[in-house]
């Protein structure tokens, strides 16, 4: 498995991580495992402070999202889908990490946990009927599982953190677009 200087936990990814050497097949496999076996995905996710594979996964996930936004929403939303996911993930991970302070690992592991569900959600955000259920699945199913498995905090604490962050994001969305 370790060829060309790579190990299991480098940019090629661990057992459940996105593999940049096989981007398309690994992307589909990552999305399928997140959807069907999220507990297994987060149990196998390497707890290392390496930004590369998850950051590239977010960028790669922005491509189908940008194509969908270009078709369904225009050029400006497509550009936002390409540029916004990585900076947004860094800010959101800060909110989630505040809730898991005292967990076993640092901010980067919290960010790694967030990067994959966010990348999973990006294409669904462009489709009106799939966006809200996708956000609920990511925010209230995948993220609590990921935080409890990766940061080794209790399931109820993880769910509470995710509900609080979801409420904050919902309030922000309401005040930005409806108030």
């Amino acid at each position: 498995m370790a060829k060309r200087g790579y190990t299991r936990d480098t940019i090629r990814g661990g057992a459940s991580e996105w593999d940049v050497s096989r981007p398309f097949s690994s992307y589909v496999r990552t999305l399928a495992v997140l959807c069907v076996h999220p507990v297994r995905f987060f149990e196998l996710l390497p707890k290392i402070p390496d930004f590369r594979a998850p950051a590239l996964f977010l960028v790669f996930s922005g491509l189908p999202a940008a194509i969908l936004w270009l078709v369904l929403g225009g050029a400006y939303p497509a550009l936002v889908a390409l540029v916004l996911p990585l900076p947004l993930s860094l800010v959101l991970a800060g909110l989630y990490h505040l809730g898991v302070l005292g967990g076993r690992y640092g901010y980067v592991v919290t960010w790694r946990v967030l990067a994959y569900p966010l990348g999973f959600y990006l294409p669904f955000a462009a489709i009106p009927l799939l966006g809200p259920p996708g956000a609920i699945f990511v925010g209230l199913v995948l993220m609590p599982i990921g935080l409890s498995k990766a940061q080794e905090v209790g399931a109820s604490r993880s769910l509470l953190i995710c509900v609080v962050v979801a409420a904050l994001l919902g309030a922000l969305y309401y005040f930005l677009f409806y108030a």
Side-chain angles (χ1 to χ4, degrees):
M1 177 158 188
K3 57 184 180 181
R4 293 188 314 251
Y6 292 111
T7 66
R8 273 189 59 197
D9 294 333
T10 61
I11 193 167
R12 288 193 61 172
S16 73
E17 225 174 3
W18 183 64
D19 186 354
V20 297
S21 67
R22 293 175 278 129
F24 295 103
S25 64
S26 181
Y27 180 73
V28 171
R29 181 186 54 83
T30 301
L31 296 183
V33 172
L34 268 172
C35 193
V36 177
H37 298 292
V39 174
R40 183 176 190 280
F41 178 86
F42 289 112
E43 284 176 345
L44 296 175
L45 187 68
K47 281 99 174 148
I48 58 173
D50 186 5
F51 280 97
R52 294 176 293 181
L56 289 171
F57 179 77
L58 277 175
V59 171
F60 191 82
S61 298
L63 296 175
I67 292 168
L68 284 170
W69 277 111
L70 185 62
V71 171
L72 299 173
Y76 180 70
L79 180 63
V80 170
L82 282 175
V83 176
L84 190 62
L86 192 56
L88 178 65
S89 71
L90 295 169
V91 172
L92 287 175
L95 291 174
Y96 284 109
H97 192 67
L98 285 174
V100 295
L101 280 177
R104 184 161 179 180
Y105 299 99
Y107 168 81
V108 177
V109 172
T110 304
W111 176 79
R112 288 171 66 81
V113 167
L114 172 71
Y116 290 103
L118 182 61
F120 174 83
Y121 172 67
L122 287 175
F124 294 108
I127 303 169
L129 294 176
L130 295 179
I136 291 168
F137 179 68
V138 165
L140 299 178
V141 175
L142 292 180
M143 282 305 298
I145 291 170
L147 290 174
S148 68
K149 294 299 176 188
Q151 286 290 357
E152 298 177 10
V153 296
S156 58
R157 179 177 172 190
S158 297
L159 182 60
L160 179 63
I161 294 162
C162 293
V163 167
V164 168
V165 170
L168 289 172
L169 292 175
L172 179 67
Y173 181 81
Y174 176 77
F175 287 118
L176 285 176
F177 297 106
Y178 294 110

